[in-house]
Amino acid sequence: MSSLNSSTARAAVLLGPQSIEVREFPLPVLKQGEILVEVEGCGICGTDVHEYKRDPFGLIPVVLGHEGTGKIIALGENPEPDTTGKTLSVGDSIVTSILVPEDCPFTKDFPDRSNLSDSLGVYGLFPDSPDYHLNGFFASHIVIRAGSTVFQVNGMSLKQRILIEPMAVTVHALERAKTTGLLNFASQVVVQGCGPIGLMMIATLYAYGISNITAIDAVPQRLEFAKKMGAATTLNVKDLGAEGTLAAVHGATKGRGADFAFQCTGVPAAAAQIWKFVRRGGGLCEVGFFMDNGECSINPHEDLCKKEITAVGSWVYTAQEYPIAIAMIRHLVNIGIPIEDLVTHTFPLAEINQAMATNIALEGIKIAVVP
């Protein structure tokens, strides 16, 4: 194990609804295969905000933060290579992905659907325990356990690395959408919701070769970002109203409706409305509900049966999609999409409550904590 400059770490512990306290913990003696990472930054996800507001997962006390990255500062005995086979060394930049126990029966039966396992684990969503306090990236350090999925990402900027995890969400959504056979370079696509996931969905679709993208949101700043990410048309639902937005979608798609639509909000009313945007025989991917935000109603006859819509859901990602997400971010940079601009605000760890409040107020796009 390499020598360290400090014997303690700082971690932002969620102790109650909207109550985070930065505490100190001793740096642990690493067990075999473990990795100690000095955190350099972590984005705030909508899931973090929901947990911060009301602890729906029952994790408190917990150190949140899963869109994180940092540099290896120590390795336990017998270090393993990263998930792609690269040797890991002190000084390497890394990100992590999901954890699934080796004995998970679901993953053994469905190895390509590990994201659907009830045993799925993600750093930043593990409750505090006597053995592991440094479980999330909202901290100065994090301990990566033996057997975790880890990816070496040397050469990428901090902002690019912070965006890898949400990019994996959009890569998975694209792969789910492709299973319908309804996406091609000529497809007319609607993306509803221009938060970080929706904006990255637009960029992913654009990089995939789809240029007929209509972005829908209620915040002008987010619609401006949608244009930067590759949207050809933007519609402000607040200005247009539900019926006006529907008419505008039909106007942008020769009166037929979208060939395919991605629902990227967590709003039930939006989830109900998006079915109206899709043409007969078209497709839909639901990406927005990583939390139970309530139910919505559709008309099974008008919205589904009569139109023969093919709908798929998208849930998180698999570890195998991380290399694709990493390659996608590098590709977007190479073709001139200003993906790093999505990280609009950074806060030090001591100001994490302010960072959460900024996110909740929809001030900016991707808010990050940089210890």
Side-chain angles (χ1 to χ4, degrees), residues 13-27:
V13 186
L14 180 66
L15 299 171
Q18 301 189 50
S19 176
I20 293 179
E21 183 178 303
V22 177
R23 293 185 168 181
E24 282 200 0
F25 296 99
L27 288 174

Side-chain angles (χ1 to χ4, degrees), residues 1 29 129 215:
M1 203 168 115
V29 175
S129 70

Side-chain angles (χ1 to χ4, degrees), residues 71 86-87 91-94 151-156 161 330:
K71 291 190 183 296
K86 295 178 183 176
T87 299
D92 282 342
S93 299
I94 63 95
F151 298 87
Q152 184 250 79
V153 286
N154 293 347
M156 299 182 76
R161 286 182 274 140
R330 286 177 166 147

